[in-house]
Amino acid sequence: MLMKIELLPELAEQALIDEVMVYPKPGLVDPLNHGSHPDMDVFTFVASAVSLRAYFEEITELANNFTAANLPKLFQQVRLAGIKAEQTMFKATNGINTHKGAIFSLGILLTASAYTLSSTGCIELDEIAQTVKVMLKGLTKNDFRNLDQKPLDELTAGELEYKKYGLTGSRGEAEAGFPVVFKKSLPFLLTKSNQSRNSQLIDTLMQIVLTTKDSNLIKRAGNLEIVDWAEAQASRYFELGGSQTEEGYLFLRNLDDVFTQQHLSLGGSADLLILTIFLDLLVTKNS
């Protein structure tokens, strides 16, 4: 079955909603808890996701109509659309930042998917990843230039982590073609078809924690050592059987309590889960 390009914005919106519905997620909003985000709940996230549908439609159209050879120009158009989408999101959520990271990362992945489908007539994951790389070539070098000339209180969290730890965060992951998603979390998720959807996505989230340095977690903890601790928790979760055992499930619920009490959050991992869900939906709908 040939994927219709008009379906892509719907899949992007569904990916946002699917992610917030997963329970439990350490420190994150789910249908029962607000985690480490007391100003948000599941209704905030659904309102945000619905408000972004127009953005997804706009960038899909941009990609579908883009005929120039210079793909970084397409990214610049999408980035401008993303700035407007942030304002739409804030209006829908009364000023709460629910999906700013996803506007960036999912916007890029959706654009690359739409461009690839428009150019080749089919869904090829390797081609989508390559399109992302070409679109974003030089992104981190450009975005992190001249940081020494900026006052510390004017730096974003991502800029601070780059300056302090040399981490490129979501920009670096995107510029590299989302390797965690394409090479780790998506293949992992595609092997879990015999589980319930919630179990599939819980396990996939924890697999992401094993393979990435979550910038939001680092920001909340104020140190890089938190990454090793989080990886150890994810390893223990899988040692206990993950979502398929009572022990694993109970461990994750308790870990959610720990994250909430310590005001920790896996926001970066959640964004990568959204991308993984989007590609999973893309593969499923195209089969």
Side-chain angles (χ1 to χ4, degrees), residues 100-122:
K100 189 172 181 178
I103 288 172
F104 172 75
S105 57
L106 183 56
I108 290 168
L109 190 57
L110 172 58
T111 301
S113 300
Y115 178 83
T116 301
L117 181 56
S118 177
S119 302
T120 67
C122 59

Side-chain angles (χ1 to χ4, degrees), residues 149-279:
Q149 299 176 21
K150 289 184 178 182
L152 282 177
D153 59 359
E154 292 183 9
L155 296 179
T156 66
E159 289 171 339
L160 281 170
E161 289 187 10
Y162 178 76
K163 189 177 178 70
K164 187 173 183 179
Y165 306 116
L167 299 177
T168 55
S170 60
R171 292 176 178 88
E173 176 67 14
E175 186 178 5
F178 298 115
V180 169
V181 174
F182 281 95
K183 296 180 181 180
K184 299 291 184 179
S185 59
L186 181 62
F188 179 88
L189 176 55
L190 292 174
T191 67
K192 301 294 178 179
S193 59
N194 61 325
Q195 298 177 199
S196 72
R197 187 60 169 170
N198 192 62
S199 293
Q200 291 174 19
L201 298 182
I202 290 174
D203 287 352
T204 302
L205 174 66
M206 298 310 289
Q207 179 65 25
I208 290 170
V209 175
L210 278 174
T211 54
T212 190
K213 292 179 173 64
D214 191 306
S215 58
N216 188 258
L217 180 63
I218 296 168
K219 174 188 173 183
R220 291 264 183 151
N223 62 76
L224 196 57
E225 290 74 21
I226 194 68
V227 173
D228 291 337
W229 176 81
E231 289 178 359
Q233 304 312 303
S235 294
R236 181 57 179 160
Y237 169 72
F238 285 115
E239 288 172 2
L240 292 171
S243 65
Q244 297 305 289
T245 68
E246 184 176 348
E247 292 82 4
Y249 188 76
L250 180 59
F251 177 84
L252 194 60
R253 287 185 60 184
N254 290 336
L255 186 61
D256 186 18
D257 291 339
V258 171
F259 267 68
T260 299
Q261 291 163 7
Q262 297 184 13
H263 307 291
L264 300 174
S265 175
L266 293 170
S269 300
D271 285 343
L272 293 176
L273 179 61
I274 288 168
L275 303 188
T276 308
I277 295 170
F278 173 74
L279 289 178

Side-chain angles (χ1 to χ4, degrees), residues 68-142:
N70 190 348
L71 281 176
K73 286 187 176 180
L74 175 58
F75 169 62
Q76 292 305 321
Q77 294 177 20
V78 171
R79 207 170 202 183
L80 289 174
I83 293 172
K84 293 188 299 181
E86 287 180 11
Q87 299 308 309
T88 300
M89 173 197 72
F90 284 128
K91 184 177 180 181
T93 63
N94 294 318
I96 297 171
N97 176 16
T98 44
H99 286 126
K100 189 172 181 178
I103 288 172
F104 172 75
S105 57
L106 183 56
I108 290 168
L109 190 57
L110 172 58
T111 301
S113 300
Y115 178 83
T116 301
L117 181 56
S118 177
S119 302
T120 67
C122 59
I123 294 295
E124 292 288 346
L125 295 180
D126 289 343
E127 188 67 24
I128 293 171
Q130 183 59 31
T131 298
V132 172
K133 292 180 185 179
V134 176
M135 282 174 57
L136 272 59
K137 185 176 181 181
L139 173 66
T140 52
K141 182 179 180 180
N142 180 69

